[in-house]
Amino acid sequence: MDFLQRLYIITWAAMAMVATATSAATVDSHPAVPSVYYVRHAVSSGPDAGDETTLSGYYEAALQPASRAGSQLRVLPIWSQRRDAAGHASYLMDLDPLDAADAAQLAVLAEGFSAGATRSGEFGALRATDQSAWSALSRKSPDAAEALLTGQQAAGLRPVRLPATVAVGDVVAETLRIEPHGSVQTTLSVIEVTPEAVLMELSVAGPGAQGDGRLVVARGDGMPIELRMEVRYAASKGLPASLHRVHLADTGHDPMLQMSEDVESYVSYAEQVNQTLQRPPFSGVAPDSSAYTHRAAALGQLEDYMVGAASLPTLMPYMGSFWIPAEGGTGRWLAIGARSSLERDPSAGQGQHERILMSRLHDVAMLDADGAEIAGLPTKRVTPTLFLPEKYSVTQNEVSFPFHVPLGAPRDVLGRIEAVRMSVDAEVYAFETTEILQPGERSALNPDITLLRPAAHRATLLQGRQSWKAKTGLYSVVVPLDEEGNVLPSEQMIIAPLKPAQPTRLAQVPLAWENGSLPMRTEIATARPIAKLQVRHYRWSSVPTTWTFPMRE
C-alpha cells in the first residue's frame, strides 16, 4: 500500500471510530448486553520474533451477576485463529460437528468460559462454563482440552477495580493474568479521565516479569475499552523466557486494528507526513508547477472520493458471496465481495482518490433459495463499520470479516445459504452550499472547522468530529482563491488524526481511543499567495440500506 492510499484509509477509519465511540452502550445503562472484543496475543520465546505464535480472536464478553453475591465474567469465543512460528494457521470455525473429537470441543465452546470474582474483586483464570462438557472432553482428549482452555484465556480481558473517585495522577494496584504464567502485580497510573473512561499507563515489575503498556477502561464497570501491552517473562518452572504482546479492543469503539498492531506503520506514516511537509510545495513554493496536483471538483459537484445517494442502487448488481476451500482442511469458508460500478475519470491523473463507501453494519441474515432467513443460523457482527473500496473482498479466515455464524454450525445447514443480507446505514454526500472566508475567520455554517494560515501560500483546515456522532452533519472542503476569485492550483494532503508519538515498541503506540478527540487536518499549498478561501460544505447522511450478496459460482 502506497503512502497516499494508506493515508486515505487510515483517515476514514479514524472518522468511523469517533462516530461510533459514544454510541457504544455503557454497562450502567445496559448491564446485561455483552460487548464484542478483539484480542491478539503474540508470544515469542526465542532470541528473536522468528518463532512467534499468535492467537487472534473475537469474543463476546460481559459481567454478569453470580449465583452467590458478586459477579462473574462470561466469555464466549466467536472466531479464533492460531498461527504458529512456521506460519501455519488453524481456526475454531474448521471444527467439524460430525467428527467426535471436534464435537467434544464444540460442546465446551457452546457455553464458553467464565471466571468468578474473588472476595478481593480479582478475576482468575477462565474455566469452561459447562463443566460436564469439559469433563467429557478431558476424558476423551486431555491434550485437546488443555490446548483449548489455554488458547481461549483472552489475555487482558478482565475488569479493572477502579476506586469510587478517580483523578489524573492516581495510582491503581491491579493484577494481570497471562497464561501459563498466572497473575502478576501491575501498577496503573491514571493519565486521563473523561465522564465515560479512564486512560492509564500500565507497568509490570513482578518476580520474573517486566513490562508496560496503555489501557483505557469504562468508568462504569472497569471493563477494558482498549489495551496494548508487552510483558517479558524470565525462564521459570520449566517455561522458557518469553515476550508477550497483547492488543485488545472493544469493537463497539471501532478501533483501527491493523494500524494498531504495527509500530512500524505508525512511525513510518508520521515520518512520511513530516517529510512531505518539510519539502516543497509545503515548505515553500515549488519551482515546478507539476507539484500542484490537486484538482478541485466543479462547484456543486461531489469530491472524487465521495459517494452520492444515487450511486447506492448501482452497487447491488456487483455484490456476491462465494464458498472457497478451507486451507488445509475439508471444510469451506464463506467470502463476500463487491465492485463499484463508478468509474473514475481517467483524465484526473494520480491526484484522484479512490471512492470508499463507509457504512454502519446492523444486522446480517443468511438466506435460503426462497429468500427466507435460515432458521437456526444466527450471526454475530464483529466489526460495526464496513469500508467498501472500488474493489472489495473478504473471507471468513480474515480479521476484517464483518460477521460470523455459530461455531459448529451444521455443514448441511451452511450449504443452504444462497445469499447474505446486510442491514446497513450507508454514508452518502450531497453538496449543500459554499461561503468565502479569510484564514482565521469562523464559519457561520460549520462550527466544527478552523482555518489557519501558516504562510502566504499555505492554509490549514482543522475539522473537528464531535457532530459526526449524529445521523447527519456537514463536511467541509477548502479551495484556495486568488484576489479575483479564481481557483489557485494547489497541493493538498489529508492527515489522519493520530496522536504525535515516536514509539520504539508496540506498547508505546497511542491507543486508537486516544485519537478520538483529535481533529482531521488538511494541509494546502499553492504557488501564489492565497487571498481568500472558498469553503464548500457537503451534507453527509446515514441512509438505511439493505445489501444482498447472492451466492455466485
Side-chain angles (χ1 to χ4, degrees):
M1 181 181 295
D2 63 28
F3 173 46
L4 289 177
Q5 192 176 16
R6 178 188 296 166
L7 178 154
Y8 185 57
I9 294 292
I10 293 169
T11 300
W12 279 91
M15 289 162 55
M17 178 191 69
V18 171
T20 312
T22 59
S23 67
T26 64
V27 173
D28 289 339
S29 59
H30 301 284
V33 176
S35 295
V36 173
Y37 284 89
Y38 169 76
V39 181
R40 183 179 188 272
H41 182 185
V43 184
S44 56
S45 56
D48 53 41
D51 64 345
E52 185 174 85
T53 297
T54 303
L55 296 168
S56 301
Y58 287 104
Y59 300 86
E60 195 173 67
L63 283 176
Q64 300 177 342
S67 55
R68 300 176 182 177
S71 61
Q72 69 171 356
L73 176 68
R74 288 289 303 273
V75 177
L76 186 70
I78 299 172
W79 176 92
S80 181
Q81 174 203 74
R82 181 184 186 277
R83 189 172 296 276
D84 63 22
H88 302 303
S90 58
Y91 302 86
L92 289 183
M93 65 181 178
D94 287 341
L95 292 173
D96 184 355
L98 297 180
D99 178 90
D102 287 358
Q105 294 188 61
L106 288 168
V108 173
L109 291 166
E111 294 299 321
F113 304 88
S114 58
T118 64
R119 289 185 177 180
S120 64
E122 178 183 350
F123 289 82
L126 293 173
R127 62 196 296 267
T129 302
D130 186 339
Q131 283 294 295
S132 176
W134 172 253
S135 296
L137 175 60
S138 297
R139 289 193 301 270
K140 185 177 188 64
S141 180
D143 290 343
E146 182 64 26
L148 182 66
L149 185 61
T150 301
Q152 301 304 312
Q153 286 299 310
L157 185 47
R158 304 290 190 278
V160 171
R161 295 163 291 176
L162 292 173
T165 59
V166 61
V168 173
D170 287 354
V171 176
V172 178
E174 190 55 86
T175 57
L176 170 69
R177 192 173 191 95
I178 295 182
E179 300 303 334
H181 301 279
S183 297
V184 64
Q185 289 299 313
T186 306
T187 300
L188 303 174
S189 301
V190 178
I191 56 177
E192 184 178 346
V193 178
T194 75
E196 295 83 23
V198 180
L199 174 66
M200 296 169 283
E201 290 183 337
L202 178 153
S203 177
V204 177
Q210 299 287 328
D212 60 358
R214 300 176 80 81
L215 167 67
V216 59
V217 302
R219 290 191 68 176
D221 61 0
M223 284 294 283
I225 294 172
E226 189 176 4
L227 161 70
R228 184 183 295 106
M229 65 180 177
E230 293 182 342
V231 182
R232 190 177 298 275
Y233 287 90
S236 175
K237 298 180 181 179
L239 296 173
S242 59
L243 173 63
H244 295 252
R245 299 182 180 91
V246 176
H247 180 229
L248 172 150
D250 181 340
T251 63
H253 294 258
D254 261 2
M256 296 174 285
L257 298 181
Q258 303 303 324
M259 190 68 174
S260 299
E261 293 173 359
D262 187 356
V263 64
E264 290 78 14
S265 291
Y266 200 102
V267 172
S268 175
Y269 176 80
E271 288 178 347
Q272 290 185 70
V273 168
N274 291 333
Q275 290 169 6
T276 301
L277 294 177
Q278 290 170 8
R279 59 176 179 257
F282 293 99
S283 64
V285 175
D288 189 344
S289 61
S290 64
Y292 301 94
T293 64
H294 180 75
R295 290 185 56 179
L299 186 60
Q301 300 298 309
L302 297 181
E303 292 292 312
D304 54 23
Y305 51 83
M306 295 178 178
V307 176
S311 300
L312 294 182
T314 68
L315 293 172
M316 289 292 291
Y318 301 93
M319 291 180 167
S321 54
F322 313 84
W323 287 111
I324 65 171
E327 295 176 3
T330 59
R332 299 185 300 175
W333 293 339
L334 183 65
I336 58 174
R339 178 171 60 84
S340 173
S341 62
L342 304 173
E343 294 186 0
R344 288 194 278 175
D345 181 0
S347 66
Q350 297 180 351
Q352 190 179 36
H353 298 96
E354 181 179 8
R355 285 187 177 93
I356 295 182
L357 176 60
M358 186 176 79
S359 301
R360 316 299 304 170
L361 177 60
H362 296 299
D363 300 309
V364 182
M366 303 290 104
L367 307 183
D368 63 17
D370 297 323
E373 187 170 344
I374 299 174
L377 197 59
T379 64
K380 289 189 184 296
R381 184 196 69 176
V382 295
T383 57
T385 304
L386 290 178
F387 296 95
L388 267 64
E390 293 172 0
K391 293 181 180 180
Y392 169 77
S393 65
V394 63
T395 307
Q396 266 185 302
N397 66 317
E398 299 177 63
V399 168
S400 54
F401 197 80
F403 67 91
H404 289 283
V405 296
L407 295 171
R411 295 189 176 183
D412 60 332
V413 176
L414 294 175
R416 295 173 54 202
I417 297 174
E418 291 297 331
V420 176
R421 186 182 65 204
M422 294 184 180
S423 299
V424 305
D425 284 344
E427 186 174 287
V428 296
Y429 289 78
F431 179 79
E432 183 152 307
T433 189
T434 186
E435 60 182 330
I436 304 298
L437 299 175
Q438 295 292 329
E441 187 177 356
R442 299 296 299 182
S443 169
L445 303 174
N446 188 353
D448 278 351
I449 67 170
T450 300
L451 298 170
L452 306 175
R453 187 173 184 174
H457 70 289
R458 287 278 308 280
T460 300
L461 168 65
L462 299 177
Q463 192 147 206
R465 298 172 286 156
Q466 295 308 306
S467 65
W468 293 13
K469 299 165 186 173
K471 288 284 188 179
T472 185
L474 287 180
Y475 177 80
S476 300
V477 173
V478 169
V479 177
L481 305 177
D482 63 14
E483 290 285 358
E484 287 72 39
N486 299 313
V487 174
L488 289 169
S490 67
E491 183 70 350
Q492 298 199 11
M493 181 169 61
I494 302 174
I495 299 175
L498 298 179
K499 190 174 182 180
Q502 292 295 323
T504 58
R505 303 189 320 281
L506 194 58
Q508 298 172 333
V509 175
L511 301 174
W513 181 90
E514 296 181 67
N515 301 317
S517 61
L518 301 178
M520 289 181 60
R521 173 178 155 207
T522 303
E523 293 291 351
I524 303 165
T526 59
R528 292 186 287 126
I530 299 171
K532 45 196 169 184
L533 298 169
Q534 182 186 76
V535 183
R536 301 176 179 182
H537 301 293
Y538 295 85
R539 172 68 56 181
W540 63 266
S541 304
S542 295
V543 178
T545 305
T546 298
W547 288 341
T548 302
F549 298 78
M551 191 63 67
R552 303 184 188 275
E553 296 296 332

